[in-house]
Amino acid sequence: HLTGCGTRRNPGALRRQLLVCWGLGRFASDDGVAMRLEKLDLNMLTIGQQQVMEDILQGPRRAQMQDIGLVGPFDVFVRAPSLGGPAQALGAAVRYGSSLPDNVREVAICTVGHFHQARFEFAAHHALAIAAGVNATTLEQLRCDQVPDFVGSEGLAYRLTRALLGIVGHTQNSS
């Protein structure tokens, strides 16, 4: 369960983002403008778009996509197959073809998502991190700009990711 972290975050916006993450609602920006693209008409896809769609739905993400649908960047990847095909293949290779344990990889992804204020990325991978065994309270600390209590390999992933992002110091506010 994600809660608000004072005035910096908008809990209602995060809830809407989570609903989109799970395919349950439309996301509206703070000014109420819908930001979701029109639903893809599967009968109107080009051959290139069909190939990217098939690669996503038949690849290693298939179980996730069956549960929540084509959300996040994947809809856009299908719309722009010359960029989307290679982008989704790279993402799949990094996520599924590396030797990193799931919990370590998800800590790194959540750290990058938080650093870039990518709410969708953080929300989507927050759930995956918890499923991989990452402590929910520690993830909440990260989201709320507190120093998270990651330990062991998760702590190393957090510190290394921050170093790669060029973040100095221990608090999120030091970036």
Side-chain angles (χ1 to χ4, degrees):
H1 181 304
L2 297 177
T3 60
C5 301
T7 58
R8 182 167 183 261
R9 305 273 189 209
N10 179 337
L14 182 61
R15 182 180 177 282
R16 287 191 302 274
Q17 197 65 35
L18 286 169
L19 290 174
V20 169
C21 184
W22 294 308
L24 301 174
R26 296 182 70 75
F27 174 75
S29 65
D30 291 338
D31 61 359
V33 176
M35 296 179 62
R36 207 171 207 191
L37 298 169
E38 292 292 322
K39 186 174 175 130
L40 283 170
D41 182 345
L42 301 180
N43 296 317
M44 300 298 289
L45 297 180
T46 67
I47 292 172
Q49 290 173 323
Q50 290 172 4
Q51 183 61 53
V52 173
M53 175 79 84
E54 183 176 320
D55 290 346
I56 293 169
L57 295 178
Q58 299 306 314
R61 295 182 181 96
R62 93 180 135 266
Q64 176 187 352
M65 293 298 160
Q66 289 171 351
D67 290 343
I68 63 173
L70 198 64
V71 297
F74 306 108
D75 179 85
V76 176
F77 289 169
V78 170
R79 292 171 192 272
S82 63
L83 296 174
Q88 80 82 24
L90 175 63
V94 169
R95 181 161 178 218
Y96 299 104
S98 77
S99 61
L100 286 176
D102 293 347
N103 64 323
V104 172
R105 182 189 59 246
E106 295 304 330
V107 166
I109 293 170
C110 285
T111 302
V112 170
H114 179 265
F115 175 78
H116 289 292
Q117 298 181 1
R119 293 183 301 181
F120 180 89
E121 189 73 9
F122 188 89
H125 285 275
H126 174 273
L128 295 169
I130 290 174
V134 178
N135 182 285
T137 301
T138 307
L139 287 169
E140 185 67 2
Q141 291 170 333
L142 172 63
R143 191 180 72 79
C144 292
D145 295 328
Q146 299 168 4
V147 178
D149 296 328
F150 292 118
V151 296
S153 57
E154 292 175 4
L156 179 60
Y158 170 73
R159 291 188 305 276
L160 178 60
T161 302
R162 287 175 49 84
L164 291 170
L165 291 167
I167 303 171
V168 181
H170 295 289
T171 65
Q172 294 296 336
N173 293 327
S174 65
S175 59

